[in-house]
């Protein structure tokens, strides 16, 4: 974007936006500009309707019969296929369960077991920390295993991938900078060296087109409470390519992953296919909210979603750099749209205070230590006028210095 648009041009962009009508399906508090759908997606009327039905009719009236009559038992697999469609996975390879952290643990062990003569896990030093922490946990339980970190052991991840590497665990979009990795190229690099890959899709599922099958990915994980709007703590997903199913062993061998859970056999026998990644009883109410939240995706063309996402983030970068120049903000996200996810981050020494001042004015983004302000752009419910107003408020806060008020420096537990 070169010429700076005026507000009339912004309103015209909203009027011409084919995704605009979808905003009405969401429950957005009035006058709130919500730029944090990359952390917790917005509630929808469909999610609440499913939640209410599951609680009042199924749990409230049908009770335990609902495991059979309301499809509770198969929900992790049914929803897995629906999430799978959004990330380029053919049916039968994705299951919704547990948390992303737990699914990383299962996928790492499964990958290591598929490469028994190798001992190294490669991941990113700039990864979302739980990915590194879980890899450390896996290494601690496997004698001889070790971890190599991009940014610590070598500047680029490619330099760390050799014939000792069992698995490469990598974020598709970096949670802090919003940088998008080339999935096909890095997967090929790992495979050329005989290693497997696990892609963490937390910041891409529901944010941009993903083609797991097309890129021959081995494993993927991701959460459903960010761009998929499943609700706080909604279960995560895990994908394993069908070609691996026969050989997969994962360590959390609970009864839900058993081949015959209701035979109550003495010894574990892994279930068929992706089902073996299940462990124990899943949070049915959360799954039902997710089921409702996923309905809208049947109507969304991911290419159109990506186009709008990039228009939103381009507009935000252009307006901030133009209107907030001279206030010390530094773009942390890639300027090249092909390398950018659906968020924009700016660095500033007082990012925490500035973000608190924005939140007090009804513009919600978040802060990531040590100095990042993060703004997520979710094309289903964020419009161009939201971007415009958010920048106006940011400019006002910076120009007037209202962020210096002592109350904005008080740190909360969740930032
Ligand atoms: C949000 C996020 C997670 C969250 O993991 P949980 O186990 O759901 O808390 C993991 N990885 C990445 C890259 C994330 O962005």
């Amino acid at each position: 974007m070169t010429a700076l648009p005026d507000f009339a041009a912004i309103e015209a962009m909203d009027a011409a936006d084919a995704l605009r009508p979808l905003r009405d399906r969401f429950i957005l508090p009035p006058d709130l500009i919500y730029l944090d759908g990359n952390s917790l997606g917005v509630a929808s009327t469909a999610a609440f309707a499913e939640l209410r039905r599951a609680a009042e009719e199924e749990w409230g009236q049908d009770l335990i019969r609902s495991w059979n009559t309301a499809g509770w038992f198969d929900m992790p697999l049914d929803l897995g296929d629906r999430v799978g469609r959004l990330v380029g996975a053919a049916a039968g390879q994705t299951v919704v369960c547990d948390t992303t952290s737990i699914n990383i643990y299962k996928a790492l062990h499964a990958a290591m077991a598929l490469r028994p003569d190798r001992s190294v896990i490669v991941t990113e030093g700039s990864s979302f920390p739980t990915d590194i922490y879980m890899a450390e946990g896996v290494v601690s339980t496997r004698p001889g295993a070790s971890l190599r970190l991009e940014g610590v052991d070598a500047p680029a991840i490619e330099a760390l991938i050799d014939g000792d590497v069992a698995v490469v665990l990598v974020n598709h979009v970096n949670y802090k900078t919003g940088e998008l990795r080339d999935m096909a190229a890095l997967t090929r690099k790992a495979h050329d060296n005989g290693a497997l890959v696990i892609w963490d899709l937390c910041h891409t599922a529901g944010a941009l087109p993903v083609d797991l099958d097309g890129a021959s990915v081995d494993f993927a994980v991701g959460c459903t409470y960010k761009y998929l709007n499943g609700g706080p703590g909604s279960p995560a997903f895990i994908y394993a390519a069908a070609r691996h199913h026969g050989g997969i062993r994962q360590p959390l061998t609970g009864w839900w992953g058993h081949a015959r859970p209701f035979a109550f056999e003495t010894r574990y026998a892994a279930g068929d296919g992706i089902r073996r990644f299940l462990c124990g009883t899943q949070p049915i109410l959360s799954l039902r909210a997710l089921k409702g939240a996923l309905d809208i995706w049947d109507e969304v063309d991911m290419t159109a979603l990506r186009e709008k996402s990039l228009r939103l983030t381009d507009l935000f970068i252009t307006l901030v750099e133009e209107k907030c120049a001279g206030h010390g903000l530094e773009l942390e996200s890639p300027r090249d749209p092909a390398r950018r996810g659906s968020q924009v981050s700016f660095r500033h020494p007082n990012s925490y205070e500035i973000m608190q001042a924005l939140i007090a004015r009804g513009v919600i983004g978040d802060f990531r230590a040590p100095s990042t302000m993060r703004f997520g752009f979710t094309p289903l419910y964020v419009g161009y006028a939201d971007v415009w107003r958010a920048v106006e408020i940011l400019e006002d806060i910076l120009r007037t210095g209202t962020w210096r008020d002592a109350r904005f420096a008080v740190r909360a537990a969740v930032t």
Side-chain angles (χ1 to χ4, degrees), residues 100-119:
T100 300
S101 304
I102 292 172
N103 288 336
I104 289 170
Y105 189 79
K106 290 185 282 190
L108 278 172
H109 270 293
M112 300 284 286
L114 287 168
R115 292 288 179 274
D117 50 341
R118 295 171 175 230
S119 58

PDB file of all heavy atoms in Angstrom, residues 100-119:
ATOM      1  N   THR A 100      -2.148 -28.435  23.412  1.00  0.00           N
ATOM      2  CA  THR A 100      -1.039 -28.433  22.450  1.00  0.00           C
ATOM      3  C   THR A 100       0.227 -28.956  23.116  1.00  0.00           C
ATOM      4  O   THR A 100       0.962 -29.754  22.528  1.00  0.00           O
ATOM      5  CB  THR A 100      -0.818 -27.012  21.892  1.00  0.00           C
ATOM      6  OG1 THR A 100      -2.031 -26.595  21.249  1.00  0.00           O
ATOM      7  CG2 THR A 100       0.313 -26.972  20.889  1.00  0.00           C
ATOM      8  N   SER A 101       0.477 -28.528  24.350  1.00  0.00           N
ATOM      9  CA  SER A 101       1.685 -28.983  25.052  1.00  0.00           C
ATOM     10  C   SER A 101       1.715 -30.503  25.148  1.00  0.00           C
ATOM     11  O   SER A 101       2.733 -31.140  24.857  1.00  0.00           O
ATOM     12  CB  SER A 101       1.744 -28.370  26.454  1.00  0.00           C
ATOM     13  OG  SER A 101       1.690 -26.966  26.396  1.00  0.00           O
ATOM     14  N   ILE A 102       0.608 -31.096  25.567  1.00  0.00           N
ATOM     15  CA  ILE A 102       0.546 -32.562  25.711  1.00  0.00           C
ATOM     16  C   ILE A 102       0.690 -33.231  24.345  1.00  0.00           C
ATOM     17  O   ILE A 102       1.370 -34.249  24.201  1.00  0.00           O
ATOM     18  CB  ILE A 102      -0.765 -32.977  26.412  1.00  0.00           C
ATOM     19  CG1 ILE A 102      -0.749 -32.500  27.873  1.00  0.00           C
ATOM     20  CG2 ILE A 102      -0.974 -34.494  26.346  1.00  0.00           C
ATOM     21  CD1 ILE A 102      -2.077 -32.680  28.600  1.00  0.00           C
ATOM     22  N   ASN A 103       0.073 -32.643  23.332  1.00  0.00           N
ATOM     23  CA  ASN A 103       0.173 -33.238  21.995  1.00  0.00           C
ATOM     24  C   ASN A 103       1.594 -33.140  21.435  1.00  0.00           C
ATOM     25  O   ASN A 103       2.040 -34.031  20.700  1.00  0.00           O
ATOM     26  CB  ASN A 103      -0.851 -32.605  21.050  1.00  0.00           C
ATOM     27  CG  ASN A 103      -2.265 -33.064  21.383  1.00  0.00           C
ATOM     28  OD1 ASN A 103      -2.459 -34.126  21.981  1.00  0.00           O
ATOM     29  ND2 ASN A 103      -3.259 -32.275  21.017  1.00  0.00           N
ATOM     30  N   ILE A 104       2.321 -32.094  21.793  1.00  0.00           N
ATOM     31  CA  ILE A 104       3.738 -31.995  21.400  1.00  0.00           C
ATOM     32  C   ILE A 104       4.513 -33.152  22.026  1.00  0.00           C
ATOM     33  O   ILE A 104       5.340 -33.798  21.377  1.00  0.00           O
ATOM     34  CB  ILE A 104       4.335 -30.633  21.830  1.00  0.00           C
ATOM     35  CG1 ILE A 104       3.762 -29.507  20.968  1.00  0.00           C
ATOM     36  CG2 ILE A 104       5.866 -30.651  21.755  1.00  0.00           C
ATOM     37  CD1 ILE A 104       4.091 -28.107  21.472  1.00  0.00           C
ATOM     38  N   TYR A 105       4.233 -33.413  23.279  1.00  0.00           N
ATOM     39  CA  TYR A 105       4.907 -34.510  23.998  1.00  0.00           C
ATOM     40  C   TYR A 105       4.654 -35.847  23.306  1.00  0.00           C
ATOM     41  O   TYR A 105       5.570 -36.631  23.061  1.00  0.00           O
ATOM     42  CB  TYR A 105       4.383 -34.534  25.435  1.00  0.00           C
ATOM     43  CG  TYR A 105       5.132 -35.463  26.364  1.00  0.00           C
ATOM     44  CD1 TYR A 105       6.354 -35.086  26.910  1.00  0.00           C
ATOM     45  CD2 TYR A 105       4.607 -36.703  26.711  1.00  0.00           C
ATOM     46  CE1 TYR A 105       7.039 -35.924  27.778  1.00  0.00           C
ATOM     47  CE2 TYR A 105       5.288 -37.554  27.572  1.00  0.00           C
ATOM     48  CZ  TYR A 105       6.503 -37.158  28.105  1.00  0.00           C
ATOM     49  OH  TYR A 105       7.171 -37.991  28.958  1.00  0.00           O
ATOM     50  N   LYS A 106       3.393 -36.090  22.968  1.00  0.00           N
ATOM     51  CA  LYS A 106       3.043 -37.351  22.290  1.00  0.00           C
ATOM     52  C   LYS A 106       3.701 -37.439  20.919  1.00  0.00           C
ATOM     53  O   LYS A 106       4.259 -38.480  20.540  1.00  0.00           O
ATOM     54  CB  LYS A 106       1.508 -37.461  22.152  1.00  0.00           C
ATOM     55  CG  LYS A 106       0.811 -37.684  23.491  1.00  0.00           C
ATOM     56  CD  LYS A 106      -0.688 -37.900  23.317  1.00  0.00           C
ATOM     57  CE  LYS A 106      -1.435 -36.626  23.074  1.00  0.00           C
ATOM     58  NZ  LYS A 106      -2.913 -36.807  23.144  1.00  0.00           N
ATOM     59  N   ALA A 107       3.648 -36.343  20.164  1.00  0.00           N
ATOM     60  CA  ALA A 107       4.200 -36.361  18.801  1.00  0.00           C
ATOM     61  C   ALA A 107       5.714 -36.531  18.826  1.00  0.00           C
ATOM     62  O   ALA A 107       6.277 -37.263  17.998  1.00  0.00           O
ATOM     63  CB  ALA A 107       3.814 -35.079  18.061  1.00  0.00           C
ATOM     64  N   LEU A 108       6.386 -35.855  19.762  1.00  0.00           N
ATOM     65  CA  LEU A 108       7.855 -35.983  19.842  1.00  0.00           C
ATOM     66  C   LEU A 108       8.257 -37.423  20.153  1.00  0.00           C
ATOM     67  O   LEU A 108       9.149 -37.977  19.509  1.00  0.00           O
ATOM     68  CB  LEU A 108       8.416 -35.042  20.915  1.00  0.00           C
ATOM     69  CG  LEU A 108       8.618 -33.577  20.509  1.00  0.00           C
ATOM     70  CD1 LEU A 108       8.998 -32.741  21.733  1.00  0.00           C
ATOM     71  CD2 LEU A 108       9.686 -33.436  19.419  1.00  0.00           C
ATOM     72  N   HIS A 109       7.596 -38.023  21.146  1.00  0.00           N
ATOM     73  CA  HIS A 109       7.925 -39.414  21.468  1.00  0.00           C
ATOM     74  C   HIS A 109       7.623 -40.337  20.286  1.00  0.00           C
ATOM     75  O   HIS A 109       8.407 -41.244  19.985  1.00  0.00           O
ATOM     76  CB  HIS A 109       7.128 -39.882  22.695  1.00  0.00           C
ATOM     77  CG  HIS A 109       7.835 -39.622  23.993  1.00  0.00           C
ATOM     78  ND1 HIS A 109       9.001 -40.266  24.351  1.00  0.00           N
ATOM     79  CD2 HIS A 109       7.529 -38.806  25.021  1.00  0.00           C
ATOM     80  CE1 HIS A 109       9.386 -39.856  25.554  1.00  0.00           C
ATOM     81  NE2 HIS A 109       8.512 -38.957  25.987  1.00  0.00           N
ATOM     82  N   ALA A 110       6.490 -40.107  19.631  1.00  0.00           N
ATOM     83  CA  ALA A 110       6.126 -40.962  18.492  1.00  0.00           C
ATOM     84  C   ALA A 110       7.171 -40.840  17.387  1.00  0.00           C
ATOM     85  O   ALA A 110       7.592 -41.843  16.797  1.00  0.00           O
ATOM     86  CB  ALA A 110       4.746 -40.568  17.967  1.00  0.00           C
ATOM     87  N   ALA A 111       7.622 -39.605  17.134  1.00  0.00           N
ATOM     88  CA  ALA A 111       8.622 -39.395  16.081  1.00  0.00           C
ATOM     89  C   ALA A 111       9.952 -40.038  16.458  1.00  0.00           C
ATOM     90  O   ALA A 111      10.601 -40.686  15.619  1.00  0.00           O
ATOM     91  CB  ALA A 111       8.802 -37.892  15.828  1.00  0.00           C
ATOM     92  N   MET A 112      10.361 -39.875  17.715  1.00  0.00           N
ATOM     93  CA  MET A 112      11.633 -40.477  18.160  1.00  0.00           C
ATOM     94  C   MET A 112      11.578 -42.003  18.023  1.00  0.00           C
ATOM     95  O   MET A 112      12.560 -42.640  17.642  1.00  0.00           O
ATOM     96  CB  MET A 112      11.926 -40.124  19.624  1.00  0.00           C
ATOM     97  CG  MET A 112      12.062 -38.658  19.945  1.00  0.00           C
ATOM     98  SD  MET A 112      13.610 -37.905  19.445  1.00  0.00           S
ATOM     99  CE  MET A 112      14.794 -38.514  20.631  1.00  0.00           C
ATOM    100  N   ALA A 113      10.409 -42.561  18.336  1.00  0.00           N
ATOM    101  CA  ALA A 113      10.272 -44.020  18.249  1.00  0.00           C
ATOM    102  C   ALA A 113      10.325 -44.498  16.790  1.00  0.00           C
ATOM    103  O   ALA A 113      10.702 -45.639  16.525  1.00  0.00           O
ATOM    104  CB  ALA A 113       8.971 -44.461  18.911  1.00  0.00           C
ATOM    105  N   LEU A 114       9.936 -43.624  15.865  1.00  0.00           N
ATOM    106  CA  LEU A 114      10.010 -43.988  14.441  1.00  0.00           C
ATOM    107  C   LEU A 114      11.438 -43.862  13.892  1.00  0.00           C
ATOM    108  O   LEU A 114      11.713 -44.292  12.777  1.00  0.00           O
ATOM    109  CB  LEU A 114       9.067 -43.094  13.610  1.00  0.00           C
ATOM    110  CG  LEU A 114       7.560 -43.364  13.750  1.00  0.00           C
ATOM    111  CD1 LEU A 114       6.760 -42.225  13.114  1.00  0.00           C
ATOM    112  CD2 LEU A 114       7.174 -44.697  13.129  1.00  0.00           C
ATOM    113  N   ARG A 115      12.323 -43.219  14.642  1.00  0.00           N
ATOM    114  CA  ARG A 115      13.736 -43.057  14.232  1.00  0.00           C
ATOM    115  C   ARG A 115      14.627 -43.556  15.369  1.00  0.00           C
ATOM    116  O   ARG A 115      15.380 -42.789  15.975  1.00  0.00           O
ATOM    117  CB  ARG A 115      14.039 -41.573  13.933  1.00  0.00           C
ATOM    118  CG  ARG A 115      13.343 -41.024  12.692  1.00  0.00           C
ATOM    119  CD  ARG A 115      13.972 -41.583  11.421  1.00  0.00           C
ATOM    120  NE  ARG A 115      13.321 -41.114  10.204  1.00  0.00           N
ATOM    121  CZ  ARG A 115      12.241 -41.682   9.658  1.00  0.00           C
ATOM    122  NH1 ARG A 115      11.668 -42.740  10.227  1.00  0.00           N
ATOM    123  NH2 ARG A 115      11.722 -41.217   8.537  1.00  0.00           N
ATOM    124  N   PRO A 116      14.560 -44.866  15.687  1.00  0.00           N
ATOM    125  CA  PRO A 116      15.220 -45.383  16.889  1.00  0.00           C
ATOM    126  C   PRO A 116      16.748 -45.267  16.872  1.00  0.00           C
ATOM    127  O   PRO A 116      17.370 -45.267  17.924  1.00  0.00           O
ATOM    128  CB  PRO A 116      14.789 -46.858  16.924  1.00  0.00           C
ATOM    129  CG  PRO A 116      14.323 -47.175  15.543  1.00  0.00           C
ATOM    130  CD  PRO A 116      13.837 -45.896  14.939  1.00  0.00           C
ATOM    131  N   ASP A 117      17.334 -45.129  15.668  1.00  0.00           N
ATOM    132  CA  ASP A 117      18.795 -45.020  15.606  1.00  0.00           C
ATOM    133  C   ASP A 117      19.276 -43.575  15.674  1.00  0.00           C
ATOM    134  O   ASP A 117      20.458 -43.290  15.481  1.00  0.00           O
ATOM    135  CB  ASP A 117      19.301 -45.684  14.318  1.00  0.00           C
ATOM    136  CG  ASP A 117      18.546 -45.187  13.092  1.00  0.00           C
ATOM    137  OD1 ASP A 117      17.426 -44.622  13.268  1.00  0.00           O
ATOM    138  OD2 ASP A 117      19.050 -45.338  11.966  1.00  0.00           O
ATOM    139  N   ARG A 118      18.387 -42.643  15.958  1.00  0.00           N
ATOM    140  CA  ARG A 118      18.764 -41.219  16.022  1.00  0.00           C
ATOM    141  C   ARG A 118      18.373 -40.653  17.388  1.00  0.00           C
ATOM    142  O   ARG A 118      17.446 -41.168  18.027  1.00  0.00           O
ATOM    143  CB  ARG A 118      18.051 -40.437  14.912  1.00  0.00           C
ATOM    144  CG  ARG A 118      18.509 -40.862  13.526  1.00  0.00           C
ATOM    145  CD  ARG A 118      17.648 -40.235  12.451  1.00  0.00           C
ATOM    146  NE  ARG A 118      18.171 -40.560  11.125  1.00  0.00           N
ATOM    147  CZ  ARG A 118      18.385 -39.658  10.174  1.00  0.00           C
ATOM    148  NH1 ARG A 118      18.098 -38.387  10.379  1.00  0.00           N
ATOM    149  NH2 ARG A 118      18.868 -40.027   9.003  1.00  0.00           N
ATOM    150  N   SER A 119      19.033 -39.568  17.799  1.00  0.00           N
ATOM    151  CA  SER A 119      18.836 -39.126  19.179  1.00  0.00           C
ATOM    152  C   SER A 119      18.602 -37.631  19.349  1.00  0.00           C
ATOM    153  O   SER A 119      18.442 -37.146  20.460  1.00  0.00           O
ATOM    154  CB  SER A 119      20.076 -39.518  19.998  1.00  0.00           C
ATOM    155  OG  SER A 119      21.212 -38.923  19.395  1.00  0.00           O
TER     156      SER A 119
END
